[in-house]
Amino acid sequence: MIAVSQLDAEGHLQHLLTLEGLPAATLTDLLDHADHYLDAGRQGDKKHSSLLGRTVINLFFEASTRTRTTFELAAKRLSADVLNLQVAASSTSKGETLFDTLKTLEAMQADMFVIRHDASGAAHFFAAHAAPGVAILNAGDGRHAHPTQGLLDLLTVRQRMGRIAGLKVCLVGDILHSRVARSAIHGLRTLGAAEIRVAAPPTLIPAGIDALGVQVFHDVDAALSDVDVVMLLRLQKERMLGAFLPSLGEFHRDYGLTHQRAARLPEHAIVMHPGPINRGVEIEGDMAYGARSVILEQVNNGIAVRMAVMDRILGARS
Ligand code: CP
């Protein structure tokens, strides 16, 4: 694979492919910039002009509700021209390669591509082959990374808890298939979380995860003791080729956030989920938007975070 640097020679963001390796100062700047957009929005100032005349192309080869719509809204709120390629109706369905798709759309003077793909490394491939000055944002590639989800999760934690440093965070569920988990872990580590725990059945824990500095639990009740933040992860049934679980009911009993488990959490603990939710599996349905839940705040923060990333890359070049 061709090496791609996310930062230019002066340390400015030029692509966003992963949170791994990004300095704490870069992450903090993006979160602060997202907060600036949230503040402006609260004062009725939703529209900005920093991407006027720029073209952003969304390429979603996998289904999405939250990420695709919030990337589109973010680009429009920065005044960019936005094109959403209908992948199923595009010439990729006739066998056109990713490379030729990139080059064809680049010829239309695109400035930025937002790409979601089921292949880990697809965004990196785009960045490696993009023309100079064309930015690539990873909107989720296979099991690898979902960096803007990681940023919006960090922003939501920081808003609610006032900080990230020193917190105890537990990620519960399908760690094996989760790009969300990897991005959250990298971001939490960089910003100084005290403990990052992962809790799942052995079949849903990837080999070598300890190297990321996390503690592995198979007993979710032990994992949830004293935590500040619970991050529930969706069971990714579409990526499960074999039998990873006896049944969804057993997963809910052994790992789901039931009312009994929620009642044992510290009073201040928040519950997160990137969505989409399998109701009654990762979390009891009536708690999805309950008192501890910040799930809808995560959605709203997705717009501000994506505006911040786009502005820092393209706005800075204007
Ligand atoms: N969290 C997330 O990536 O959701 P979508 O698949 O709906 O974009």
Side-chain angles (χ1 to χ4, degrees):
M1 200 187 283
I2 304 171
V4 176
S5 174
Q6 301 190 93
L7 301 177
D8 67 16
E10 290 164 351
H12 298 131
L13 203 59
Q14 52 184 358
H15 303 289
L16 183 63
L17 309 176
T18 173
L19 298 189
E20 185 176 8
L22 285 183
T26 303
L27 300 186
T28 302
D29 172 65
L30 290 170
L31 301 186
D32 292 346
H33 200 37
D35 263 338
H36 152 79
Y37 284 124
L38 287 170
D39 284 342
R42 279 190 282 269
Q43 288 162 27
D45 186 13
K46 279 201 239 168
K47 194 82 174 179
H48 305 266
S49 60
S50 61
L51 265 60
L52 194 65
R54 301 296 196 147
T55 301
V56 175
I57 300 188
N58 284 327
L59 287 172
F60 278 66
F61 292 87
E62 272 192 336
S64 168
T65 295
R66 279 146 284 265
T67 313
R68 196 193 65 72
T69 51
T70 55
F71 262 119
E72 181 175 351
L73 269 177
K76 287 180 171 169
R77 288 189 184 174
L78 295 174
S79 304
D81 295 320
V82 183
L83 191 153
N84 296 302
L85 188 74
Q86 301 305 314
V87 168
S90 76
S91 289
T92 58
S93 64
K94 300 177 203 164
E96 189 162 41
T97 63
L98 268 187
F99 181 82
D100 289 330
T101 303
L102 168 68
K103 290 297 150 192
T104 300
L105 295 170
E106 247 179 26
M108 301 171 196
Q109 295 156 40
D111 297 291
M112 176 176 274
F113 289 91
V114 178
I115 177 169
R116 170 172 285 195
H117 202 283
D118 65 358
S120 297
H124 186 106
F125 176 87
F126 254 51
H129 295 286
V134 173
I136 306 299
L137 305 189
N138 184 1
D141 62 328
R143 301 178 186 189
H144 173 233
H146 194 347
T148 55
Q149 178 72 44
L151 288 169
L152 75 87
D153 289 341
L154 294 171
L155 182 65
T156 308
V157 171
R158 196 177 77 163
Q159 276 170 353
R160 279 300 191 112
M161 312 304 290
R163 66 201 161 95
I164 289 162
L167 295 180
K168 292 180 189 168
V169 181
C170 183
L171 292 87
V172 185
D174 187 354
I175 314 292
L176 178 67
H177 300 102
S178 181
R179 54 199 179 204
V180 173
R182 282 168 189 73
S183 290
I185 290 167
H186 288 305
L188 288 165
R189 273 192 68 187
T190 302
L191 295 185
E195 283 183 37
I196 307 171
R197 305 172 184 172
V198 296
T203 48
L204 292 180
I205 297 280
I209 185 114
D210 326 48
L212 298 184
V214 303
Q215 302 170 43
V216 176
F217 290 75
H218 301 305
D219 174 350
V220 76
D221 294 300
L224 291 178
S225 70
D226 290 341
V227 290
D228 302 296
V229 178
V230 183
M231 286 190 179
L232 303 173
L233 298 168
R234 182 174 68 89
L235 282 183
Q236 300 197 25
K237 291 174 271 187
E238 74 276 20
R239 297 192 212 278
M240 294 187 189
L241 300 177
F244 286 84
L245 295 167
S247 72
L248 295 182
E250 283 189 45
F251 177 86
H252 180 65
R253 184 195 65 201
D254 295 341
Y255 291 94
L257 190 67
T258 58
H259 283 284
Q260 288 84 351
R261 287 196 177 106
R264 289 197 293 269
L265 290 171
E267 204 173 332
H268 67 273
I270 57 169
V271 173
M272 307 177 71
H273 192 305
I277 300 167
N278 292 307
R279 283 176 170 268
V281 181
E282 296 102 29
I283 185 169
E284 293 204 14
D286 63 352
M287 286 198 295
Y289 304 138
R292 290 184 184 281
S293 168
V294 295
I295 292 170
L296 297 179
E297 290 164 44
Q298 289 174 266
V299 174
N300 187 47
N301 285 339
I303 304 171
V305 151
R306 290 169 177 129
M307 289 171 77
V309 171
M310 290 175 162
D311 184 59
R312 281 296 186 243
I313 295 177
L314 284 188
R317 291 184 199 157
S318 298

